[in-house]
Amino acid sequence: MTIRVVAKNQVKPDKIQEYMDLCKNLVEESLKEEGCIEYGLYQELENPGILTILEEWKDKNSLDEHLNSNHFKEIFPLLSEYLEKETEIDIYKKKL
Amino acid sequence: MTIRVVAKNQVKPDKIQEYMDLCKNLVEESLKEEGCIEYGLYQELENPGILTILEEWKDKNSLDEHLNSNHFKEIFPLLSEYLEKETEIDIYKKKL
């Protein structure tokens, strides 16, 4: 069964463009991973500072490999600098 | 551009099965809607009381039609009875 991830970020209002610029490389490299089905950055319609990564991975092992990848370990800490608060990460399995 | 919805629910611990049972009809009917690309119920791996609906709609108009559908208007208020707090709904457009 595939794994879905919702990683929700509240970005500082004056850092939205920088956050998106820095995300570009993370998205591109993550999409190249063997177990990656989906990896995209999404902006909330009414709250432009809410920038969420929606992900789908082949299985839990693929997600673990992603979290250990060089691109994730390099870029994720840099992205954290632009946040109002810590990223809220939920990892899901499908029920219905 | 399609629209993505993340509707996150914190369900009362003793109501998880009833919540899922009641969701079944909502998921089935929503998937039949013309503008529906995805509509599924997902459970967080470490917090089984977090039950989130992940949705994708053809456009904002399709989402509005869904929110006005009989199945949504009938079932959504019933589901709310089982929640610890109000559903957290984020509506997204793709940026990257």
Side-chain angles (χ1 to χ4, degrees):
Chain A
M1 190 192 292
T2 71
I3 294 286
R4 299 283 290 262
V5 179
V6 177
K8 181 176 175 176
N9 304 288
Q10 178 74 56
V11 180
K12 292 175 186 167
D14 58 336
K15 298 294 184 191
I16 293 174
Q17 191 57 52
E18 280 134 298
Y19 186 90
M20 289 200 287
D21 291 346
L22 192 53
C23 249
K24 196 159 183 283
N25 190 249
L26 178 61
V27 169
E28 286 170 358
E29 292 303 313
S30 299
L31 285 170
K32 289 179 196 165
E33 289 182 64
E34 193 267 336
C36 184
I37 297 167
E38 185 200 6
Y39 199 94
L41 181 70
Y42 290 80
Q43 187 172 42
E44 219 280 329
L45 295 191
E46 292 184 359
N47 300 287
I50 296 183
L51 287 161
T52 294
I53 298 177
L54 299 180
E55 312 170 27
E56 184 169 6
W57 298 93
K58 205 174 66 177
D59 50 31
K60 187 70 170 58
N61 188 48
S62 305
L63 173 59
D64 291 339
E65 282 176 17
H66 167 66
L67 299 175
N68 276 309
S69 67
N70 285 337
H71 50 274
F72 181 82
K73 288 194 289 187
E74 278 165 22
I75 301 172
F76 190 77
L78 301 175
L79 288 170
S80 303
E81 303 283 314
Y82 298 133
L83 301 182
E84 298 268 28
K85 55 178 183 177
E86 210 178 325
T87 303
E88 181 186 312
I89 301 175
D90 290 313
I91 303 173
Y92 293 105
K93 61 183 170 186
K94 188 166 187 166
K95 296 301 288 185
L96 289 174
Chain B
M1 189 190 291
T2 71
I3 295 286
R4 300 283 291 261
V5 179
V6 178
K8 181 176 174 176
N9 304 289
Q10 178 75 55
V11 180
K12 291 175 185 165
D14 58 335
K15 298 294 184 190
I16 293 173
Q17 191 56 53
E18 279 135 299
Y19 186 91
M20 288 200 287
D21 290 346
L22 193 53
C23 248
K24 195 159 182 284
N25 191 249
L26 178 61
V27 169
E28 284 170 0
E29 291 303 314
S30 299
L31 285 170
K32 289 178 193 164
E33 288 183 65
E34 191 268 338
C36 184
I37 298 166
E38 185 199 5
Y39 200 94
L41 181 71
Y42 291 79
Q43 187 172 43
E44 220 278 331
L45 295 191
E46 292 183 0
N47 301 287
I50 296 183
L51 286 162
T52 294
I53 298 176
L54 300 180
E55 312 171 25
E56 184 168 7
W57 298 91
K58 205 175 65 179
D59 50 30
K60 187 70 169 58
N61 188 48
S62 305
L63 173 59
D64 292 339
E65 282 176 17
H66 167 67
L67 299 175
N68 276 309
S69 67
N70 286 337
H71 50 272
F72 181 82
K73 287 194 290 187
E74 278 166 22
I75 301 171
F76 189 76
L78 301 175
L79 288 170
S80 303
E81 303 284 315
Y82 298 133
L83 302 182
E84 298 268 28
K85 54 179 184 176
E86 213 177 322
T87 303
E88 181 186 313
I89 301 175
D90 290 313
I91 303 174
Y92 293 104
K93 61 182 170 187
K94 188 166 188 165
K95 296 302 286 184
L96 288 176

